[in-house]
Amino acid sequence: MAGQILVVDDDRAMCDLLETDLRLRGFQPQCFSSAVAALDALQKAEFDVVLTDVRMPGTTGLQLCEQITRERPDTPVIVMTAFGNMETAIAALRAGAYDFIIKPVEMDLLAAAIRRAVQKHQLQETVRQLSEAVDRAAHFGEFIGESPPMQAIYQQLAQLAPTDATVLLTGESGTGKELVARCIHRRSRRASGPFVAVNCAALPEPLLESELFGHVKGAFTNALAERKGLFVQADGGTLMLDELGDMPAAMQAKILRALESQWIRPVGAERDVAVDVRVIAATNRDLEAAIEAGTFRADLFYRINVFQIELPPLRSRGADILLLAQHYLETFAKKMAKSVDGLRTSVAQRLMAYHWPGNVRELRNVIERAVALTQSERLDLEDLPEKIRDFESARVLFGGDDPKELVSLEEVQRRYISHVLNATGGNQTQAARILGVDRKTLYRKRKD
């Protein structure tokens, strides 16, 4: 977020001070000594923020602010003045100023104001270009996203899709694991074959075995006819075992045998049946932690963990949130025959601030609801659910400067471990990696 900052001040020493400090903070400032020179620069280049003094010979900072607001309303202007009275503040706001800073300038406060203004301007530009950005965005099948985590995912998928290797998809619920599995299938040599998916957590063990392996007539009560299982139905194609981490232990052993041998035995049958199936497993559970807890077989984990892809939560995908929001907006607007073509900047800000516990699935539902409710051509704040409009990001606080508020090192550690676990959705393997400890140490610290 290295913003382009146009600084206007007739005091050369002040200009030099601001330019040096802002550059050290990662901004890219350009200084001008008059409003005329600043306006000329604005005609030739794009700036994220204008920072101007109030008192200057000729055109004043307030007059400059008024002109920029009138001609370039999306460019935020921050006004500086040594005369910090209410009249000047009101005049600056009436002139359209984004913020108001009193001299002598506290650089930390100024830098914070500039960062907010840069974010606002860049977000406005992003919102304005969203429709085109969706068309230009990197895709892998139906997946949309340009964030670094998604670029890494695309690279992995491109490498493994043409192979027949077993794939383990991990990540929080709602991150799109079935969508990824379908993308892998369509880019594999099995694309002409069937894609079959089953939720292993949705069926009790007896029904799950029959669903996966099939059964012969009379194998159990109400087995009035032979039934082909999903392994056979997926023969020559891909079988997705969703929520594998919730599979009963006895079934885990049977799945392991099927993966190892490519033979399955229907319930009640006396002979095995050969199958040619690529298996893609998916789970939102931490399987390595489940192995330690004794609820998941280590041998099955090592058999399915040939390629592991961890799908990032939506909150870690940055501006992909807006790309996806625009994509769903266009999809639902067309489906509902409504003239809705974009988001207001205030909506984009709330979407970016929200933590999305339900991930892409939740975003999709929110945009569908908003498109259905809106009465305008752009989604407004009132079209969003209250929990998103009013959301405030949680922060881990370790006390202030008052010695009475300070906490022990043990308490700091406890709070930070809790924060990391919350941020990783309870994934102990990922949390241990972030904390720089092994899972056993993390387990012990949690127990303590």
Side-chain angles (χ1 to χ4, degrees):
M1 194 192 65
Q4 301 283 341
I5 315 301
L6 191 154
V7 181
V8 193
D9 198 316
D10 62 326
D11 184 339
R12 187 67 249 177
M14 186 63 180
C15 264
D16 291 342
L17 174 65
L18 290 170
E19 184 172 14
T20 300
D21 190 279
L22 293 177
R23 201 172 295 281
L24 289 173
R25 294 172 188 265
F27 299 110
Q28 297 178 16
Q30 292 186 42
C31 289
F32 298 90
S33 59
S34 71
V36 173
L39 290 170
D40 183 58
L42 280 168
Q43 295 299 321
K44 298 176 180 177
E46 286 292 326
F47 291 88
D48 292 298
V49 180
V50 174
L51 175 63
T52 180
D53 190 20
V54 168
R55 290 205 169 185
M56 296 184 296
T59 304
T60 68
L62 294 181
Q63 291 170 331
L64 173 63
C65 181
E66 287 177 344
Q67 187 167 347
I68 293 174
T69 302
R70 185 172 58 253
E71 298 176 0
R72 309 174 70 91
D74 291 336
T75 302
V77 180
I78 298 176
V79 172
M80 301 180 296
T81 179
F83 304 90
N85 53 49
M86 186 58 68
E87 289 77 11
T88 308
I90 292 173
L93 295 175
R94 284 178 175 169
Y98 171 78
D99 209 341
F100 178 81
I101 299 293
I102 300 172
K103 289 184 176 181
V105 175
E106 291 188 34
M107 291 306 302
D108 288 343
L109 294 178
L110 176 61
I114 291 176
R115 287 192 188 94
R116 290 193 299 270
V118 169
Q119 286 177 330
K120 179 177 184 290
H121 182 258
Q122 293 183 350
L123 187 59
Q124 287 172 330
E125 289 299 308
T126 299
V127 169
R128 184 181 297 109
Q129 300 170 9
L130 267 181
S131 186
E132 295 177 6
V134 171
D135 294 335
R136 294 195 310 266
H139 292 253
F140 191 97
E142 296 176 30
F143 251 80
I144 297 174
E146 295 186 324
S147 61
M150 291 310 299
Q151 294 292 341
I153 295 292
Y154 296 156
Q155 186 174 0
Q156 288 179 286
L157 294 178
Q159 292 173 334
L160 67 88
T163 74
D164 254 358
T166 306
V167 180
L168 174 61
L169 303 176
T170 60
E172 297 176 15
S173 179
T175 49
K177 292 185 282 293
E178 183 169 343
L179 189 59
V180 169
R182 291 182 181 276
C183 289
I184 293 172
H185 173 71
R186 283 195 292 269
R187 294 200 174 202
S188 73
R189 67 177 183 84
R190 298 174 177 270
S192 59
F195 175 89
V196 179
V198 59
N199 187 326
C200 299
L203 298 171
E205 184 175 344
L207 290 180
L208 180 60
E209 182 176 5
S210 174
E211 185 76 8
L212 289 172
F213 301 135
H215 61 259
V216 298
K217 181 179 179 180
F220 50 83
T221 304
N222 295 326
L224 303 179
E226 178 182 335
R227 185 182 187 281
K228 292 182 178 181
L230 297 183
F231 267 93
V232 173
Q233 293 179 37
D235 190 52
T238 303
L239 175 62
M240 179 186 182
L241 300 176
D242 200 6
E243 305 298 349
L244 185 72
D246 296 302
M247 181 178 285
M251 278 301 301
Q252 293 177 26
K254 295 174 182 179
I255 290 293
L256 176 62
R257 178 180 179 274
L259 294 177
E260 292 282 7
S261 66
Q262 289 283 293
W263 289 81
I264 56 103
R265 177 169 294 187
V267 177
E270 297 180 354
R271 296 180 180 178
D272 290 343
V273 178
V275 291
D276 175 23
V277 172
R278 180 185 193 173
V279 169
I280 299 177
T283 182
N284 59 13
R285 295 187 178 275
D286 183 347
L287 294 186
E288 291 180 83
I291 291 170
E292 293 181 0
T295 59
F296 197 82
R297 295 179 62 106
D299 48 3
L300 177 57
F301 173 74
Y302 295 124
R303 178 62 186 80
I304 62 174
N305 194 30
V306 179
F307 276 107
Q308 181 175 354
I309 297 180
E310 185 168 348
L311 299 182
L314 184 58
R315 61 183 172 274
S316 70
R317 292 177 55 182
D320 282 357
I321 294 171
L322 300 184
L323 286 175
L324 288 164
Q326 180 70 26
H327 167 70
Y328 289 133
L329 183 151
E330 294 173 2
T331 299
F332 290 120
K334 183 177 180 181
K335 184 177 181 181
M336 300 177 193
K338 297 191 72 171
S339 299
V340 186
D341 59 13
L343 316 168
R344 298 204 184 279
T345 304
S346 57
V347 171
Q349 288 175 322
R350 300 319 300 158
L351 295 181
M352 291 291 289
Y354 186 58
H355 69 315
W356 300 108
N359 291 294
V360 178
R361 183 184 295 123
E362 183 181 11
L363 174 63
R364 184 181 187 275
N365 292 341
V366 165
I367 298 301
E368 181 178 11
R369 173 187 182 275
V371 171
L373 289 176
T374 191
Q375 300 298 315
S376 64
E377 294 183 351
R378 293 194 164 220
L379 296 188
D380 292 310
L381 274 178
E382 56 265 26
D383 299 322
L384 298 179
E386 184 178 354
K387 66 177 181 179
I388 296 179
R389 293 199 307 265
D390 299 338
F391 178 76
E392 293 185 7
S393 180
R395 292 289 183 265
V396 178
L397 302 177
F398 298 115
D401 296 327
D402 186 346
K404 295 179 181 179
E405 297 178 354
L406 299 178
V407 299
S408 66
L409 184 60
E410 181 181 0
E411 176 64 11
V412 169
Q413 184 183 72
R414 186 191 71 78
R415 295 188 191 183
Y416 186 63
I417 289 174
S418 176
H419 175 64
V420 172
L421 284 167
N422 287 334
T424 58
N427 187 315
Q428 295 185 53
T429 301
Q430 186 181 3
R433 186 163 59 245
I434 292 171
L435 293 166
V437 299
D438 56 38
R439 292 191 313 279
K440 290 183 178 179
T441 301
L442 176 58
Y443 177 79
R444 187 178 67 254
K445 286 181 178 295
R446 290 187 69 191
K447 188 175 180 180
D448 292 342

